[in-house]
Amino acid sequence: AVRRFAVEAGLRRALDHDELALVYQPVWSIAEERFVGAEALIRWEDPERGTVSPAEFVRIAEESGLIVPIGRWVLEEACRSLARWSELGHELAACTMSVNISAVQLRSASFTSTLTEVIRTKGIDPSLLCLEITESVLMGEVAYYSEALSRVQSFGVRLSIDDFGTGYSSLAYLRRFPADELKIDQSFVADLGSDSYDDPLVAAMIAIGDSLGLRVVAEGVERVEQLAILRDLGCRYAQGYLFARPCRFDECVEYLSALLH
């Protein structure tokens, strides 16, 4: 209880004192061997503890309701970055930006208006914005979430089902929820080539995504061997430390610009 109170109080202070920051991890096209987008990831720069991982504070932020103002800040900052690199021209202008959205944000009455306001004020192309929803989040209130996500998609924003394969009825969700992308959870990618079950499971996920016309991204790719197997299985996109670790915006632009030249 003491720790929870301290984290919650710290998050309130973080919002008021600009202690939150975003880092960006590139998404790689395996076939074209080029960067096609990035995922925005939140970090908390606590003056006492240093950089704090979202695993340590997101759950408390959701339970306290702080995830709504924090989520708005993340969306604004990510879209500001998207607008900035769209201005750089060349291939960067066509790259997507992925932002994680929680169930609490989706249930918020202000989420739709916040999304449309941010898109308008930042002047971004909504088709370059992708909202990632963790598959396990969708297990409850199916009808509500289906309607909410359909409204989001009607604005031209892309939708991604994150951590695909970790829920209890993945195929049912694909039938009920509008989606443009599937992200294969890193737990399946980690043992590719060494676990007899993971290879056919990943192959099946890729085949499902392809048959439905969805972009399939493999998460957590760290080794060349994993990339080779994914290529053989027909996976077109990947994300992980093999390509780049999450980095600040200026570092990300410098890294990506170097790849484009």
PDB file of all heavy atoms in Angstrom, residues 54 56 59 61 64 80 86 101 113 121 146 157 167 170 176 178 182 192 200 208 217 239 249:
ATOM      1  N   PRO A  54       7.757   1.093 -17.676  1.00  0.00           N
ATOM      2  CA  PRO A  54       6.288   1.118 -17.562  1.00  0.00           C
ATOM      3  C   PRO A  54       5.734  -0.090 -16.824  1.00  0.00           C
ATOM      4  O   PRO A  54       4.642  -0.023 -16.257  1.00  0.00           O
ATOM      5  CB  PRO A  54       5.816   1.160 -19.018  1.00  0.00           C
ATOM      6  CG  PRO A  54       6.989   0.737 -19.836  1.00  0.00           C
ATOM      7  CD  PRO A  54       8.192   1.172 -19.083  1.00  0.00           C
ATOM      8  N   GLU A  56       6.510  -1.056 -14.095  1.00  0.00           N
ATOM      9  CA  GLU A  56       6.459  -0.719 -12.677  1.00  0.00           C
ATOM     10  C   GLU A  56       5.350   0.274 -12.329  1.00  0.00           C
ATOM     11  O   GLU A  56       5.017   0.421 -11.146  1.00  0.00           O
ATOM     12  CB  GLU A  56       7.797  -0.153 -12.218  1.00  0.00           C
ATOM     13  CG  GLU A  56       8.969  -1.118 -12.326  1.00  0.00           C
ATOM     14  CD  GLU A  56      10.241  -0.539 -11.739  1.00  0.00           C
ATOM     15  OE1 GLU A  56      10.178   0.028 -10.637  1.00  0.00           O
ATOM     16  OE2 GLU A  56      11.295  -0.634 -12.402  1.00  0.00           O
ATOM     17  N   ARG A  59       0.224  -0.357 -14.402  1.00  0.00           N
ATOM     18  CA  ARG A  59      -0.920  -0.967 -13.708  1.00  0.00           C
ATOM     19  C   ARG A  59      -1.504  -0.022 -12.654  1.00  0.00           C
ATOM     20  O   ARG A  59      -2.721   0.130 -12.543  1.00  0.00           O
ATOM     21  CB  ARG A  59      -0.472  -2.281 -13.063  1.00  0.00           C
ATOM     22  CG  ARG A  59      -1.555  -2.992 -12.243  1.00  0.00           C
ATOM     23  CD  ARG A  59      -2.647  -3.505 -13.152  1.00  0.00           C
ATOM     24  NE  ARG A  59      -2.119  -4.509 -14.048  1.00  0.00           N
ATOM     25  CZ  ARG A  59      -2.093  -5.815 -13.771  1.00  0.00           C
ATOM     26  NH1 ARG A  59      -2.546  -6.247 -12.616  1.00  0.00           N
ATOM     27  NH2 ARG A  59      -1.635  -6.670 -14.658  1.00  0.00           N
ATOM     28  N   ALA A  61      -1.206   3.220 -12.644  1.00  0.00           N
ATOM     29  CA  ALA A  61      -1.795   4.354 -13.372  1.00  0.00           C
ATOM     30  C   ALA A  61      -3.201   4.011 -13.861  1.00  0.00           C
ATOM     31  O   ALA A  61      -4.113   4.849 -13.823  1.00  0.00           O
ATOM     32  CB  ALA A  61      -0.904   4.737 -14.553  1.00  0.00           C
ATOM     33  N   SER A  64      -5.662   3.824 -10.801  1.00  0.00           N
ATOM     34  CA  SER A  64      -5.929   5.135 -10.203  1.00  0.00           C
ATOM     35  C   SER A  64      -6.631   6.090 -11.156  1.00  0.00           C
ATOM     36  O   SER A  64      -7.088   7.160 -10.739  1.00  0.00           O
ATOM     37  CB  SER A  64      -4.612   5.771  -9.740  1.00  0.00           C
ATOM     38  OG  SER A  64      -3.778   6.057 -10.862  1.00  0.00           O
ATOM     39  N   ARG A  80       3.148  14.479 -32.206  1.00  0.00           N
ATOM     40  CA  ARG A  80       4.066  15.597 -32.477  1.00  0.00           C
ATOM     41  C   ARG A  80       5.322  15.067 -33.180  1.00  0.00           C
ATOM     42  O   ARG A  80       5.807  15.664 -34.146  1.00  0.00           O
ATOM     43  CB  ARG A  80       4.436  16.302 -31.177  1.00  0.00           C
ATOM     44  CG  ARG A  80       5.364  17.502 -31.378  1.00  0.00           C
ATOM     45  CD  ARG A  80       5.718  18.178 -30.070  1.00  0.00           C
ATOM     46  NE  ARG A  80       4.551  18.777 -29.451  1.00  0.00           N
ATOM     47  CZ  ARG A  80       3.989  18.345 -28.335  1.00  0.00           C
ATOM     48  NH1 ARG A  80       4.485  17.297 -27.708  1.00  0.00           N
ATOM     49  NH2 ARG A  80       2.935  18.954 -27.834  1.00  0.00           N
ATOM     50  N   SER A  86       7.425  13.513 -40.511  1.00  0.00           N
ATOM     51  CA  SER A  86       6.726  13.619 -41.789  1.00  0.00           C
ATOM     52  C   SER A  86       7.234  14.823 -42.566  1.00  0.00           C
ATOM     53  O   SER A  86       7.259  14.830 -43.803  1.00  0.00           O
ATOM     54  CB  SER A  86       5.216  13.741 -41.564  1.00  0.00           C
ATOM     55  OG  SER A  86       4.689  12.558 -41.014  1.00  0.00           O
ATOM     56  N   ILE A 101      -2.646   1.767 -26.284  1.00  0.00           N
ATOM     57  CA  ILE A 101      -3.845   2.310 -25.654  1.00  0.00           C
ATOM     58  C   ILE A 101      -4.389   1.282 -24.663  1.00  0.00           C
ATOM     59  O   ILE A 101      -4.505   0.099 -24.989  1.00  0.00           O
ATOM     60  CB  ILE A 101      -4.927   2.622 -26.715  1.00  0.00           C
ATOM     61  CG1 ILE A 101      -4.404   3.632 -27.735  1.00  0.00           C
ATOM     62  CG2 ILE A 101      -6.198   3.146 -26.057  1.00  0.00           C
ATOM     63  CD1 ILE A 101      -4.070   4.990 -27.172  1.00  0.00           C
ATOM     64  N   SER A 113     -12.946  12.236 -28.473  1.00  0.00           N
ATOM     65  CA  SER A 113     -12.721  13.665 -28.732  1.00  0.00           C
ATOM     66  C   SER A 113     -11.245  14.014 -28.603  1.00  0.00           C
ATOM     67  O   SER A 113     -10.724  14.847 -29.358  1.00  0.00           O
ATOM     68  CB  SER A 113     -13.561  14.523 -27.775  1.00  0.00           C
ATOM     69  OG  SER A 113     -13.227  14.244 -26.426  1.00  0.00           O
ATOM     70  N   THR A 121      -4.946  19.039 -34.325  1.00  0.00           N
ATOM     71  CA  THR A 121      -3.996  20.070 -33.900  1.00  0.00           C
ATOM     72  C   THR A 121      -2.564  19.758 -34.327  1.00  0.00           C
ATOM     73  O   THR A 121      -1.782  20.677 -34.582  1.00  0.00           O
ATOM     74  CB  THR A 121      -4.040  20.250 -32.370  1.00  0.00           C
ATOM     75  OG1 THR A 121      -3.774  18.993 -31.728  1.00  0.00           O
ATOM     76  CG2 THR A 121      -5.405  20.766 -31.930  1.00  0.00           C
ATOM     77  N   SER A 146     -15.798  -3.337 -29.371  1.00  0.00           N
ATOM     78  CA  SER A 146     -15.956  -3.452 -30.819  1.00  0.00           C
ATOM     79  C   SER A 146     -16.490  -2.146 -31.398  1.00  0.00           C
ATOM     80  O   SER A 146     -15.997  -1.645 -32.416  1.00  0.00           O
ATOM     81  CB  SER A 146     -16.904  -4.601 -31.159  1.00  0.00           C
ATOM     82  OG  SER A 146     -17.068  -4.707 -32.552  1.00  0.00           O
ATOM     83  N   VAL A 157      -7.679   5.990 -38.583  1.00  0.00           N
ATOM     84  CA  VAL A 157      -6.581   5.502 -37.753  1.00  0.00           C
ATOM     85  C   VAL A 157      -6.490   3.984 -37.860  1.00  0.00           C
ATOM     86  O   VAL A 157      -7.504   3.288 -37.899  1.00  0.00           O
ATOM     87  CB  VAL A 157      -6.797   5.915 -36.283  1.00  0.00           C
ATOM     88  CG1 VAL A 157      -5.729   5.320 -35.381  1.00  0.00           C
ATOM     89  CG2 VAL A 157      -6.816   7.434 -36.161  1.00  0.00           C
ATOM     90  N   GLY A 167      -4.030 -14.382 -25.668  1.00  0.00           N
ATOM     91  CA  GLY A 167      -5.397 -14.368 -25.149  1.00  0.00           C
ATOM     92  C   GLY A 167      -6.014 -15.758 -25.177  1.00  0.00           C
ATOM     93  O   GLY A 167      -5.393 -16.736 -25.580  1.00  0.00           O
ATOM     94  N   SER A 170      -8.246 -16.034 -29.496  1.00  0.00           N
ATOM     95  CA  SER A 170      -7.701 -15.107 -30.475  1.00  0.00           C
ATOM     96  C   SER A 170      -8.539 -15.029 -31.746  1.00  0.00           C
ATOM     97  O   SER A 170      -8.805 -13.959 -32.268  1.00  0.00           O
ATOM     98  CB  SER A 170      -6.267 -15.524 -30.829  1.00  0.00           C
ATOM     99  OG  SER A 170      -5.472 -15.589 -29.690  1.00  0.00           O
ATOM    100  N   ARG A 176     -14.504 -10.431 -34.318  1.00  0.00           N
ATOM    101  CA  ARG A 176     -15.341  -9.395 -33.729  1.00  0.00           C
ATOM    102  C   ARG A 176     -14.759  -7.990 -33.822  1.00  0.00           C
ATOM    103  O   ARG A 176     -15.499  -7.008 -33.890  1.00  0.00           O
ATOM    104  CB  ARG A 176     -15.595  -9.723 -32.248  1.00  0.00           C
ATOM    105  CG  ARG A 176     -16.412 -10.973 -32.003  1.00  0.00           C
ATOM    106  CD  ARG A 176     -17.853 -10.808 -32.479  1.00  0.00           C
ATOM    107  NE  ARG A 176     -18.521  -9.718 -31.792  1.00  0.00           N
ATOM    108  CZ  ARG A 176     -19.164  -9.850 -30.629  1.00  0.00           C
ATOM    109  NH1 ARG A 176     -19.180 -11.025 -30.025  1.00  0.00           N
ATOM    110  NH2 ARG A 176     -19.775  -8.820 -30.080  1.00  0.00           N
ATOM    111  N   PRO A 178     -12.370  -4.893 -35.470  1.00  0.00           N
ATOM    112  CA  PRO A 178     -11.699  -4.416 -36.670  1.00  0.00           C
ATOM    113  C   PRO A 178     -10.205  -4.291 -36.385  1.00  0.00           C
ATOM    114  O   PRO A 178      -9.806  -3.775 -35.341  1.00  0.00           O
ATOM    115  CB  PRO A 178     -12.330  -3.037 -36.903  1.00  0.00           C
ATOM    116  CG  PRO A 178     -12.722  -2.578 -35.525  1.00  0.00           C
ATOM    117  CD  PRO A 178     -13.140  -3.824 -34.786  1.00  0.00           C
ATOM    118  N   LEU A 182      -1.521  -7.419 -36.738  1.00  0.00           N
ATOM    119  CA  LEU A 182      -1.319  -8.344 -35.623  1.00  0.00           C
ATOM    120  C   LEU A 182       0.146  -8.284 -35.221  1.00  0.00           C
ATOM    121  O   LEU A 182       1.026  -8.274 -36.078  1.00  0.00           O
ATOM    122  CB  LEU A 182      -1.646  -9.787 -36.025  1.00  0.00           C
ATOM    123  CG  LEU A 182      -3.051 -10.129 -36.491  1.00  0.00           C
ATOM    124  CD1 LEU A 182      -3.122 -11.611 -36.832  1.00  0.00           C
ATOM    125  CD2 LEU A 182      -4.068  -9.774 -35.422  1.00  0.00           C
ATOM    126  N   LEU A 192      12.115 -19.585 -31.303  1.00  0.00           N
ATOM    127  CA  LEU A 192      12.068 -20.056 -32.687  1.00  0.00           C
ATOM    128  C   LEU A 192      13.339 -20.833 -33.023  1.00  0.00           C
ATOM    129  O   LEU A 192      14.451 -20.394 -32.723  1.00  0.00           O
ATOM    130  CB  LEU A 192      11.929 -18.873 -33.656  1.00  0.00           C
ATOM    131  CG  LEU A 192      10.541 -18.250 -33.797  1.00  0.00           C
ATOM    132  CD1 LEU A 192      10.596 -17.046 -34.728  1.00  0.00           C
ATOM    133  CD2 LEU A 192       9.529 -19.261 -34.306  1.00  0.00           C
ATOM    134  N   PRO A 200       5.653 -23.943 -35.739  1.00  0.00           N
ATOM    135  CA  PRO A 200       4.355 -24.087 -36.414  1.00  0.00           C
ATOM    136  C   PRO A 200       3.305 -23.108 -35.891  1.00  0.00           C
ATOM    137  O   PRO A 200       2.423 -22.678 -36.666  1.00  0.00           O
ATOM    138  CB  PRO A 200       3.949 -25.540 -36.130  1.00  0.00           C
ATOM    139  CG  PRO A 200       4.758 -25.963 -34.966  1.00  0.00           C
ATOM    140  CD  PRO A 200       6.043 -25.202 -35.056  1.00  0.00           C
ATOM    141  N   ILE A 208      -2.700 -16.792 -40.771  1.00  0.00           N
ATOM    142  CA  ILE A 208      -3.992 -16.196 -40.428  1.00  0.00           C
ATOM    143  C   ILE A 208      -4.001 -14.714 -40.790  1.00  0.00           C
ATOM    144  O   ILE A 208      -4.936 -14.207 -41.416  1.00  0.00           O
ATOM    145  CB  ILE A 208      -4.286 -16.378 -38.924  1.00  0.00           C
ATOM    146  CG1 ILE A 208      -4.587 -17.847 -38.612  1.00  0.00           C
ATOM    147  CG2 ILE A 208      -5.474 -15.503 -38.492  1.00  0.00           C
ATOM    148  CD1 ILE A 208      -4.645 -18.138 -37.132  1.00  0.00           C
ATOM    149  N   VAL A 217       3.456  -8.373 -37.555  1.00  0.00           N
ATOM    150  CA  VAL A 217       4.747  -7.935 -37.029  1.00  0.00           C
ATOM    151  C   VAL A 217       5.183  -8.904 -35.935  1.00  0.00           C
ATOM    152  O   VAL A 217       4.429  -9.169 -34.997  1.00  0.00           O
ATOM    153  CB  VAL A 217       4.664  -6.510 -36.440  1.00  0.00           C
ATOM    154  CG1 VAL A 217       6.035  -6.066 -35.927  1.00  0.00           C
ATOM    155  CG2 VAL A 217       4.124  -5.526 -37.460  1.00  0.00           C
ATOM    156  N   GLN A 239      10.291  -6.484 -35.225  1.00  0.00           N
ATOM    157  CA  GLN A 239      10.668  -5.420 -34.291  1.00  0.00           C
ATOM    158  C   GLN A 239      11.481  -6.061 -33.178  1.00  0.00           C
ATOM    159  O   GLN A 239      11.162  -7.156 -32.710  1.00  0.00           O
ATOM    160  CB  GLN A 239       9.393  -4.790 -33.721  1.00  0.00           C
ATOM    161  CG  GLN A 239       9.589  -3.640 -32.772  1.00  0.00           C
ATOM    162  CD  GLN A 239       8.242  -3.078 -32.305  1.00  0.00           C
ATOM    163  OE1 GLN A 239       7.197  -3.401 -32.849  1.00  0.00           O
ATOM    164  NE2 GLN A 239       8.282  -2.231 -31.294  1.00  0.00           N
ATOM    165  N   PHE A 249      13.814  10.579 -29.692  1.00  0.00           N
ATOM    166  CA  PHE A 249      13.403  10.969 -31.041  1.00  0.00           C
ATOM    167  C   PHE A 249      14.583  11.374 -31.925  1.00  0.00           C
ATOM    168  O   PHE A 249      14.709  10.889 -33.045  1.00  0.00           O
ATOM    169  CB  PHE A 249      12.393  12.121 -30.972  1.00  0.00           C
ATOM    170  CG  PHE A 249      11.957  12.600 -32.325  1.00  0.00           C
ATOM    171  CD1 PHE A 249      11.012  11.909 -33.060  1.00  0.00           C
ATOM    172  CD2 PHE A 249      12.518  13.746 -32.882  1.00  0.00           C
ATOM    173  CE1 PHE A 249      10.619  12.350 -34.318  1.00  0.00           C
ATOM    174  CE2 PHE A 249      12.132  14.189 -34.130  1.00  0.00           C
ATOM    175  CZ  PHE A 249      11.173  13.487 -34.855  1.00  0.00           C
TER     176      PHE A 249
END
